[in-house]
Amino acid sequence: MNGKRRATTPPRRSLVRSLPSLPLVAGVAVLAVSAGGAVTASGAGVTALTASGSAVGASASIGAATGQAISERGPLVSRGGTRSSGGEELDPELVALAEKQMAERAAKLDEMRKAAEKQAAKIKENKWVLPLEHYAITATFGQYGLWASYHTGLDFNGDSGDPIIAVANGTVTSTGYDGAYGNKTVVTLDDGTEIWFCHQTSIYVSVGDRVNGGEVIGTVGATGNVTGSHLHLEVRPGGGGPVDPFQAFVEHGIVP
């Protein structure tokens, strides 16, 4: 050897190996389509059209089968496209549940309304009224003086013959003369309370009669132990001992 190194010629690279592979070309075509263009395929090669309409040619031919597969994919829709303006559909089960709850609420409110109306009608029906249209209070409950022990009722001054009115709805349970009370009518209300109307001149009702508040049941008089014409009225809950009639009227919305 003479010590000189021979220059080596670099091996030639095959033209075939420098060409992009078929999968790479197909990938380029797909990227072109996804960018907003279109792809056409033929036996000569693949051409991608950009969104502006210019053509981008592929540097390798693709078989007819590959071109057909791409063209048969049809138009591609961007994932970023807007949805229908109609909004999402409601769950039928949730809609049914909401409608059921609304119906139950409406039924409950209607039930409460009817109960309130019934109670209001009952209160109105049983509302007390004053026994005389024109009067003056001349003696109150618990007073001492002219009576054997103390006064057991409320005295409404009136003229003989003035109409006496039932103070509330009830049934007549007693009528007739009763010693110091004179001519007396007892009306037992629906809750069992007895109302005594005493010293009457005349009695217009009989035992067993049903009377309503405001109905005339007799007239003012001076029968029994009296010093003048007036109505002596007593209130006896449950038919027991007398209580203050003034307080009873107040509790029922009436101030004598």
Side-chain angles (χ1 to χ4, degrees):
M1 296 183 65
N2 56 8
K4 292 182 180 181
R5 302 178 68 180
R6 294 184 59 185
T8 58
T9 303
R12 287 189 176 183
R13 298 179 62 184
S14 171
L15 178 61
V16 175
R17 293 185 60 185
S18 64
L19 292 176
S21 63
L22 180 60
L24 178 59
V25 175
V28 171
V30 172
L31 289 176
V33 171
S34 64
V39 174
T40 60
S42 65
V46 177
T47 302
L49 298 179
T50 65
S52 60
S54 59
V56 178
S59 57
S61 64
I62 301 177
T66 303
Q68 182 180 2
I70 295 176
S71 64
E72 286 179 354
R73 291 181 62 183
L76 299 180
V77 179
S78 172
R79 291 175 181 249
T82 58
R83 293 185 177 182
S84 171
S85 60
E88 297 182 356
E89 295 184 358
L90 297 177
D91 188 336
E93 293 184 359
L94 293 179
V95 172
L97 178 60
E99 291 177 347
K100 180 181 178 181
Q101 292 176 344
M102 291 178 64
E104 291 176 349
R105 180 175 181 274
K108 187 63 176 178
L109 289 175
D110 186 60
E111 179 183 346
M112 294 172 63
R113 177 185 59 79
K114 290 180 179 178
E117 291 177 351
K118 183 178 180 180
Q119 182 64 19
K122 184 177 180 180
I123 292 173
K124 182 178 180 181
E125 181 182 357
N126 294 323
K127 184 178 180 180
W128 285 28
V129 296
L130 292 171
L132 297 181
E133 185 176 353
H134 304 287
Y135 66 92
I137 302 297
T138 56
T140 59
F141 182 81
Q143 282 185 317
Y144 287 90
L146 301 174
W147 308 277
S149 55
Y150 66 92
H151 195 229
T152 55
L154 193 62
D155 285 355
F156 295 81
N157 184 38
D159 296 329
S160 292
D162 287 349
I164 297 173
I165 300 170
V167 300
N169 299 346
T171 302
V172 177
T173 54
S174 177
T175 62
Y177 191 84
D178 186 13
Y181 287 106
N183 292 325
K184 181 182 74 174
T185 298
V186 177
V187 176
T188 301
L189 307 185
D190 295 338
D191 64 359
T193 299
E194 290 183 358
I195 308 296
W196 290 15
F197 303 86
C198 308
H199 307 312
Q200 295 176 248
T201 294
S202 57
I203 299 173
Y204 293 163
V205 293
S206 301
V207 173
D209 288 349
R210 178 72 180 176
V211 297
N212 296 320
E215 182 178 340
V216 176
I217 61 174
T219 61
V220 173
T223 59
N225 187 11
V226 297
T227 58
S229 61
H230 69 279
L231 169 67
H232 173 85
L233 183 142
E234 292 189 7
V235 176
R236 295 174 175 256
V243 298
D244 186 357
F246 189 96
Q247 184 62 36
F249 276 105
V250 171
E251 290 177 355
H252 287 83
I254 300 295
V255 178

